[in-house]
Amino acid sequence: MLPAGEIGEAPVTPCCSENGDQKKNLKEKSDINIAALVENEQVCEGTDNGDLPSCVSAFIEKEVGNDLKSLKKLDKLIEQMTESKMQLEEQVLTVSSEIPKRIHSALKNAEESKQFLNQFLEQETHLFSSINSHLLTAQPWMEDLGAMINQIEEIERHLAYLKWISQIEELSDNIQQYLMTNNVPEAASTLVSMAELDIKLQESSCTHLLGFVRATVKFWHKILKDKLTSDFEEILAQLHWPFIAPPQSQTVGISRPASAPEIYSNLETLFCQLLKLQTSDELFTEPKQLPEKYSLPASPSVILPIQIMLTPLQKRFRYHFRGNRQTNVISKPEWYLAQVLLWIGNHTQFLDEKIQPILDKVGSSVNARLEFSRGLMMLILEKLAADIPCLLYDDSLFCHLVDEVLLFERELHSVHGYPSTFANCMHILSEETCFQRWLTVERKFALQKMDSMLSSEAAWISQYKDITDVDEMKVPDCAETFMTLLLVITDRYKNLPTASRKLQFLELQKDLVDDFRIRLTQVMKEETRASLGFRYCAILNAVNYISAVLADWADNVFFLQLQQAALEVFAENNTLSKLQLGQLASMESSVFDDMINLLERLKHDMLTRQVDHVFREVKDAAKLYKKERWLSLPSQSEQAVMSLSSSACPLLLTLRDRLLQLEQQLCFSLFKVFWQMLVEKLDIYIYQEIILANHFNEGGAAQLHFDMTRNLFPLFSHYCKRPENYFKHVKEACILLNLNVGSALLLRDVLQSTSGQPPATAALNEVGIYKLAQQDVEILLNLRTNWPNTGK
């Protein structure tokens, strides 16, 4: 018998094959036996000591128990146990016969693997010795071959060096021959090839070769540039360049019209030849750059022929606006700004009609007019960079400079089409020191303007009060002036080159809005006692107008772009919650939301104060109406004509007067909110204080219905089509109080029999009751005194 540990292992696959059905039957039986064994084991474990007699006793107790009739099962149990024993013995014999075979097979495989490994090791040793022997034999050959290869490579480098020198000398000789035959175009083309070779050699470590090439290119470039520049300036002089006079008088520059075609032909030839020198010119001429603090966009240098055309204008600019000339006045920046705009305008026609076709013919993407403007713009930028530090702390001069620069920029972009992506004056104003000063001055003058507009006698009067179509918002002058101020500030900073600068100006605008709101609140508090007065209403109109304009601006493309920029800044700085960032990103909120919310809160508070004031007056006027003897009024049949209750006249007169007053003083949207808030309070007041506080006979109910439907409700018919829908409590109470007796009895019976069920709701809807709850209806029905005497 095998040890217990081996019996517990999984049986190995037998070597001899078995019939499939036999395997299946054997498996099924094995499963049954295993289940029986497991069950027996659980029974054994349930005993105290787990010994065999106890296990057997527990098993018999479980199978037979106290029922003697169960003894019939003993034969069957003995048979099952015997069969299980035989199967287990068979499995043990099978396992014990297979394990030695598997061990023998594994040992055999291990021996064979060991033999193969030894063979490989012998082959590896043999190959290793052969390779070492071959390397020792070939070492002298390798050393000789390496020396020869080094010599060949050195000779090749020398040859390449000589080829470069030969190529440069050949190009140089060609240029010389072309110049001797006055073939300037070919000389210029050859110089372009030489300059391209210079660019290719930039990464080479041969400093002497680089120096030789650069010196050769520089030598011929200077000769060709001087010659072409001289000829080009001569042609320009014949055209009376530059055009100082207006465009209308430029044609007088050509004295003989017959020679004009030849002049323009020469102009085109020389212009094209100078264009060819652009590559070599960029090797020696570094474009003038302002300090990095101005963050100018990277841009190529102005093309060479345009540079030559700009030279006389640059001389004039420096002559007039540098040094001690009378035209160089720091307080008059408009002089040099206007001069540059004049030059651009004077030369636009010539550049578009004569120079641009030349550039188009050679396939250049350069725009002649913009290139000319870009060259002049550098003069402006240099002048601003020099002047601004001198007037940085003089508020009036600095503010004047900024105003003139902004006007210049507007005309440059709108009239002359200068792109905002090119270097412009806004880059100079965006420099940190200058920009912070600009913000400070902007804030200072804005606050001064706010002080003056609020202290003006016409601050709370609308400019368009006599024009009904224009004066829908009834905007006081101070609010309109303030929003115009904000709009002007937006126009001033909207062309700044970076979003971060624009966001700083946006924060300034938000601060100004908040400051103006605080000032309005302070004035409003002074007018609290006269909450229906003209000034109080004007403040309310101002708050409403500013809130509406800011909400409109929030959908403007410019501010939406700023919102996206702000979103990126907030995300980088983690200054907002994920919810707020999500609202900004999804456009659910805007950059003005905080300001709009504060203004809306102020507007609601002011409207509430007005409603409360009018409501108090109405309640005072309704004191007599509350005390009306509703219980003893004559019925409608006893009166010839129904008329308004005399006690209701003060209430309705007060209400009418206040509605007319506020309709004239508040804008339409505010007045609509006002009367709807007032109606809501009035409806509850009449319902609770007058109707529920009294009992009504038939005449009293009819009189109340007449007062409400024929007098109170029509007061609001001018503002809506169905005013009774705003007095739901009063309207439905009047319906219930004026139901005929039969309908009222039937309704009361229905309500008493079905509490809160659909039949009750249907019955209420049938008589026109939708707002009041069933309990309220029962209370109102009990207020009627005209019930028939039922003897109860």
Side-chain angles (χ1 to χ4, degrees):
M1 181 176 283
L2 291 174
E6 294 182 4
I7 292 175
E9 294 178 0
V12 297
T13 305
C15 296
C16 58
S17 62
E18 294 182 359
N19 184 274
D21 294 338
Q22 292 176 353
K23 288 182 178 180
K24 183 176 179 182
N25 294 334
L26 180 60
K27 185 176 185 302
E28 291 175 352
K29 292 178 180 179
S30 176
D31 292 342
I32 295 171
N33 295 334
I34 290 171
L37 288 172
V38 170
E39 187 177 359
N40 293 340
E41 183 178 352
Q42 290 174 351
V43 173
C44 292
E45 289 176 355
T47 61
D48 295 333
N49 49 14
D51 55 345
L52 185 58
S54 300
C55 180
V56 173
S57 299
F59 176 71
I60 293 174
E61 180 67 25
K62 179 178 181 298
E63 294 294 332
V64 178
N66 298 325
D67 188 4
L68 296 178
K69 293 181 180 180
S70 299
L71 292 175
K72 296 178 181 179
K73 299 180 181 179
L74 288 177
D75 292 339
K76 188 176 181 180
L77 286 173
I78 292 171
E79 184 180 350
Q80 289 178 355
M81 298 302 293
T82 304
E83 186 178 355
S84 298
K85 178 184 176 184
M86 292 175 63
Q87 290 176 357
L88 288 173
E89 289 177 350
E90 183 179 353
Q91 290 178 7
V92 170
L93 290 174
T94 302
V95 172
S96 62
S97 62
E98 289 299 325
I99 288 178
K101 293 180 181 179
R102 291 175 65 95
I103 293 173
H104 177 72
S105 176
L107 290 173
K108 184 177 179 181
N109 291 336
E111 289 292 337
E112 290 177 356
S113 299
K114 184 177 179 181
Q115 291 177 5
F116 280 124
L117 180 61
N118 290 334
Q119 291 177 4
F120 288 143
L121 289 173
E122 290 177 2
Q123 292 176 5
E124 188 268 340
T125 303
H126 177 70
L127 287 172
F128 183 75
S129 61
S130 299
I131 291 170
N132 285 337
S133 174
H134 179 73
L135 288 175
L136 290 173
T137 304
Q139 185 64 31
W141 298 349
M142 292 294 293
E143 293 176 355
D144 295 342
L145 184 60
M148 293 178 65
I149 290 173
N150 290 335
Q151 291 177 2
I152 292 172
E153 290 177 348
E154 185 176 359
I155 292 172
E156 287 179 344
R157 287 195 297 272
H158 291 167
L159 284 174
Y161 195 92
L162 292 174
K163 284 180 180 179
W164 279 106
I165 294 176
S166 174
Q167 191 173 359
I168 298 300
E169 289 180 341
E170 182 181 354
L171 291 173
S172 179
D173 292 341
N174 290 339
I175 293 174
Q176 185 176 9
Q177 292 176 5
Y178 289 138
L179 289 178
M180 290 176 65
T181 58
N182 203 27
N183 191 350
V184 178
E186 288 299 328
S189 300
T190 307
L191 181 61
V192 172
S193 302
M194 188 183 295
E196 290 174 351
L197 291 179
D198 187 320
I199 295 172
K200 289 180 181 179
L201 288 170
Q202 290 302 310
E203 297 181 358
S204 173
S205 59
C206 301
T207 54
H208 295 291
L209 178 62
L210 288 174
F212 171 70
V213 175
R214 182 59 58 86
T216 305
V217 174
K218 185 175 183 180
F219 173 78
W220 291 117
H221 174 77
K222 185 177 185 308
I223 292 175
L224 284 172
K225 183 178 179 180
D226 291 345
K227 177 175 176 54
L228 291 174
T229 299
S230 175
D231 295 343
F232 191 61
E233 288 176 343
E234 184 178 346
I235 293 295
L236 291 175
Q238 294 179 27
L239 294 172
H240 294 273
W241 181 274
F243 305 141
I244 306 303
Q248 293 80 4
S249 58
Q250 291 175 11
T251 54
V252 300
I254 303 173
S255 56
R256 290 178 300 171
S259 63
E262 181 182 353
I263 293 176
Y264 285 121
S265 176
N266 292 336
L267 175 72
E268 179 179 349
T269 301
L270 291 169
F271 194 95
C272 293
Q273 292 171 2
L274 284 168
L275 272 180
K276 293 180 179 180
L277 300 185
Q278 185 68 30
T279 304
S280 56
D281 190 69
E282 291 176 356
L283 294 176
F284 308 110
T285 307
E286 293 185 2
K288 292 183 178 180
Q289 294 289 345
L290 291 174
E292 293 183 1
K293 65 179 181 179
Y294 295 112
S295 302
L296 296 178
S299 58
S301 57
V302 178
I303 58 175
L304 184 57
I306 298 293
Q307 287 183 29
I308 297 171
M309 297 172 74
L310 284 168
T311 301
L313 293 175
Q314 291 170 342
K315 289 180 180 178
R316 285 174 177 270
F317 187 91
R318 294 188 178 97
Y319 176 83
H320 287 292
F321 305 113
R322 298 277 179 89
N324 298 323
R325 300 292 174 186
Q326 293 181 350
T327 50
N328 184 27
V329 182
I330 197 169
S331 62
K332 298 291 183 181
E334 60 269 26
W335 287 356
Y336 61 83
L337 294 173
Q339 184 63 68
V340 168
L341 288 175
L342 182 64
W343 285 343
I344 293 174
N346 289 348
H347 296 87
T348 294
Q349 182 179 352
F350 179 81
L351 292 168
D352 287 342
E353 295 179 0
K354 304 300 180 183
I355 303 300
Q356 189 61 47
I358 301 174
L359 291 168
D360 295 339
K361 184 181 291 187
V362 299
S364 174
S365 60
V366 174
N367 184 299
R369 177 162 42 87
L370 295 182
E371 196 77 352
F372 182 79
S373 301
R374 194 159 64 91
L376 291 177
M377 179 57 71
M378 285 306 300
L379 297 173
I380 297 289
L381 300 184
E382 292 171 2
K383 177 66 174 171
L384 286 175
D387 284 358
I388 285 178
C390 301
L391 48 80
L392 202 58
Y393 297 100
D394 188 319
D395 289 350
S396 59
L397 289 181
F398 182 78
C399 191
H400 176 65
L401 173 69
V402 172
D403 290 341
E404 292 298 331
V405 167
L406 292 175
L407 290 173
F408 169 79
E409 283 284 321
R410 185 177 304 169
E411 183 172 351
L412 186 67
H413 294 301
S414 61
V415 178
H416 301 291
Y418 191 81
S420 58
T421 54
F422 285 8
N424 56 63
C425 300
M426 302 307 287
H427 291 93
I428 304 298
L429 296 181
S430 295
E431 188 270 327
E432 182 63 26
T433 305
C434 179
F435 183 78
Q436 293 303 327
R437 186 61 184 164
W438 183 13
L439 274 178
T440 303
V441 171
E442 203 76 50
R443 184 188 302 274
K444 174 185 175 181
F445 282 100
L447 293 175
Q448 290 179 358
K449 183 69 174 176
M450 288 164 58
D451 290 336
S452 64
M453 71 176 71
L454 287 173
S455 59
S456 170
E457 294 181 358
W460 307 109
I461 301 174
S462 172
Q463 296 179 1
Y464 315 104
K465 61 180 180 178
D466 298 326
I467 310 174
T468 306
D469 295 339
V470 180
D471 197 37
E472 289 182 359
M473 298 288 286
K474 293 184 171 60
V475 187
D477 183 63
C478 63
E480 187 167 6
T481 307
F482 174 71
M483 294 312 293
T484 303
L485 173 65
L486 290 185
L487 187 61
V488 169
I489 291 176
T490 303
D491 289 337
R492 290 161 72 85
Y493 78 82
K494 69 188 305 181
N495 291 320
L496 283 169
T498 61
S500 60
R501 296 302 192 200
K502 294 177 184 177
L503 287 174
Q504 288 178 270
F505 257 104
L506 178 63
E507 288 301 316
L508 169 63
Q509 287 180 303
K510 292 165 70 174
D511 290 344
L512 292 176
V513 172
D514 196 48
D515 188 275
F516 194 71
R517 178 188 62 83
I518 293 172
R519 291 171 187 240
L520 289 178
T521 305
Q522 292 171 346
V523 180
M524 180 270 293
K525 290 179 178 178
E526 297 174 0
E527 302 292 327
T528 302
R529 293 183 178 180
S531 58
L532 303 183
F534 169 75
R535 180 173 290 192
Y536 190 93
C537 292
I539 296 170
L540 186 50
N541 287 328
V543 173
N544 179 67
Y545 174 70
I546 296 171
S547 177
V549 172
L550 290 180
D552 185 56
W553 285 1
D555 296 328
N556 184 279
V557 174
F558 174 72
F559 289 108
L560 290 175
Q561 292 172 344
L562 283 188
Q563 180 172 336
Q564 181 62 31
L567 179 65
E568 296 172 1
V569 173
F570 292 148
E572 290 177 1
N573 301 335
N574 294 323
T575 54
L576 292 180
S577 66
K578 291 184 178 180
L579 175 61
Q580 291 171 316
L581 288 174
Q583 289 174 339
L584 277 176
S586 62
M587 302 300 174
E588 291 180 11
S589 61
S590 70
V591 290
F592 295 111
D593 266 11
D594 293 341
M595 298 297 100
I596 294 174
N597 292 337
L598 292 172
L599 290 167
E600 287 295 317
R601 187 183 307 168
L602 176 59
K603 180 175 76 174
H604 181 266
D605 292 344
M606 294 181 71
L607 275 172
T608 302
R609 190 173 287 110
Q610 284 188 325
V611 170
D612 291 342
H613 183 95
V614 174
F615 185 63
R616 283 195 302 270
E617 291 185 350
V618 170
K619 284 199 302 182
D620 290 340
K623 288 180 179 179
L624 292 176
Y625 195 62
K626 285 177 61 178
K627 298 176 181 180
E628 188 71 51
R629 298 177 62 83
W630 303 104
L631 195 58
S632 59
L633 291 177
S635 64
Q636 188 173 358
S637 60
E638 296 176 3
Q639 302 181 53
V641 179
M642 290 288 291
S643 61
L644 175 65
S645 299
S646 59
S647 59
C649 291
L651 182 152
L652 296 176
L653 286 173
T654 301
L655 193 58
R656 183 202 64 180
D657 293 342
R658 291 312 185 192
L659 287 174
L660 289 175
Q661 176 186 352
L662 291 173
E663 183 183 13
Q664 293 175 354
Q665 295 182 169
L666 293 179
C667 71
F668 174 76
S669 60
L670 285 175
F671 179 69
K672 182 179 179 181
V673 176
F674 165 80
W675 73 256
Q676 288 179 357
M677 291 172 64
L678 179 61
V679 163
E680 184 179 356
K681 295 174 73 70
L682 195 58
D683 180 41
I684 298 297
Y685 172 75
I686 294 175
Y687 176 70
Q688 292 180 348
E689 301 295 329
I690 296 178
I691 297 176
L692 293 182
N694 290 282
H695 285 75
F696 296 84
N697 65 356
E698 183 181 352
Q703 185 64 50
L704 176 70
H705 184 267
F706 182 82
D707 292 344
M708 296 296 106
T709 59
R710 300 293 297 276
N711 294 278
L712 176 63
F713 297 170
L715 279 180
F716 297 91
S717 61
H718 181 63
Y719 316 124
C720 63
K721 291 183 179 180
R722 300 181 63 86
E724 63 273 13
N725 289 338
Y726 291 91
F727 291 89
K728 293 186 184 300
H729 292 86
V730 174
K731 181 184 77 170
E732 295 184 2
C734 289
I735 292 173
L736 290 170
L737 293 175
N738 286 276
L739 277 177
N740 61 60
V741 177
S743 299
L745 284 171
L746 181 60
L747 180 60
R748 187 170 64 175
D749 291 342
V750 171
L751 295 179
Q752 290 176 353
S753 61
T754 57
S755 178
Q757 298 300 318
T761 304
L764 292 173
N765 293 345
E766 189 176 348
V767 297
I769 306 302
Y770 299 94
K771 176 72 174 177
L772 296 177
Q774 181 174 333
Q775 295 83 352
D776 297 329
V777 173
E778 293 175 352
I779 293 172
L780 286 166
L781 290 175
N782 290 330
L783 297 179
R784 295 171 55 120
T785 61
N786 58 334
W787 296 107
N789 188 5
T790 58
K792 294 182 181 180

